[in-house]
Amino acid sequence: METEPVVSPQMWTALAIMLLLLLGGAVVSIMYSFKLHGRIVHQFRLLGEKFGIELEIPKATMGGLYRRNPTLYGRCRGHEMSIYPHGYGLDNTRQTDVAVRITTRASAKLHLTLAKRNLSGKLGQVGRLKEIKTGDVKFDEVFSLKSNDPEAALAIFNEEWRGKVMAEWPAEDSFLSLDKSILTHLKSGLPYEDKARLELEAMAEFCLDFSDNI
């Protein structure tokens, strides 16, 4: 008659250690996620105070374990304005960029995009739009401007605004679009620290000024 294999005490000990390590790793991951969430809430709260717009913190789910990132919305300088982490993938859960979205008085028919001439920057540009050369060699070497209305785009990106773009565009990858009278600026990275939040403030100020200009 065959005998059942006996699990040695050493094997039980090894299994217990593995389970403890897995549990410990899960706890550390959850605590780190909570820490990041607290940081971004703090930075968004400061942004809301800066621009006078309302902070919304979604209610935690899954017993408090799943916490969605905050958003900002309100009116600033006569424009509807929102600042939010931009999501990708299933249910927008992979949030790696932050967006500033502002209403403008531009024609709803006008569609344009602006990005630096690098692979990641141009990925967001719409292929069917026509690339436009401004005649400013330094600007055209760095930036790719596309639009369905070249004349209107050139009027917007005059010498003054080409200079502002060159001086104030974020160092990280970012992407500007105007579509259906809505200006959207996407910037790589989420603002967990003061430095990133101040860069986001500058980007929002730039977008507000730009919205006033179009």
Side-chain angles (χ1 to χ4, degrees), residues 93-112:
T93 52
R94 187 170 63 87
Q95 296 180 332
T96 57
D97 302 334
V98 63
V100 174
R101 190 170 184 267
I102 301 175
T103 58
T104 74
R105 292 182 293 274
S107 168
K109 296 180 180 180
L110 177 61
H111 188 184
L112 63 80

Side-chain angles (χ1 to χ4, degrees), residues 1-161:
M1 185 174 67
E2 295 183 0
T3 59
E4 294 184 0
V6 178
V7 179
S8 67
Q10 291 83 359
M11 291 183 65
W12 283 115
T13 302
L15 286 171
I17 291 173
M18 289 178 62
L19 287 173
L20 287 173
L21 287 174
L22 288 172
L23 180 61
V27 170
V28 169
S29 178
I30 291 170
M31 295 304 294
Y32 183 67
S33 175
F34 286 178
K35 183 178 181 180
L36 289 181
H37 183 265
R39 285 181 181 177
I40 198 170
V41 167
H42 173 67
Q43 298 298 342
F44 264 64
R45 181 172 286 111
L46 294 176
L47 283 169
E49 293 171 357
K50 168 73 176 180
F51 295 105
I53 53 181
E54 184 177 351
L55 172 68
E56 180 180 349
I57 305 173
K59 186 177 179 180
T61 57
M62 295 177 61
L65 295 178
Y66 180 54
R67 303 182 180 189
R68 301 184 68 178
N69 284 324
T71 59
L72 292 164
Y73 177 78
R75 292 191 66 84
C76 184
R77 286 166 47 178
H79 302 279
E80 291 184 36
M81 176 181 183
S82 58
I83 302 176
Y84 56 94
H86 184 70
Y88 304 91
L90 184 62
D91 197 28
N92 294 328
T93 52
R94 187 170 63 87
Q95 296 180 332
T96 57
D97 302 334
V98 63
V100 174
R101 190 170 184 267
I102 301 175
T103 58
T104 74
R105 292 182 293 274
S107 168
K109 296 180 180 180
L110 177 61
H111 188 184
L112 63 80
T113 64
L114 182 69
K116 279 191 173 181
R117 288 189 179 279
N118 54 45
L119 177 62
S120 52
K122 292 182 71 176
L123 283 177
Q125 288 195 295
V126 179
R128 67 177 180 273
L129 298 179
K130 181 180 179 180
E131 183 162 2
I132 301 163
K133 298 293 186 181
T134 67
D136 183 334
V137 176
K138 290 184 178 180
F139 182 89
D140 291 338
E141 285 180 348
V142 177
F143 291 95
S144 172
L145 173 63
K146 293 187 175 184
S147 179
N148 63 350
D149 188 338
E151 184 177 347
L154 288 172
I156 291 171
F157 287 96
N158 55 26
E159 182 178 359
E160 177 188 357
W161 273 94

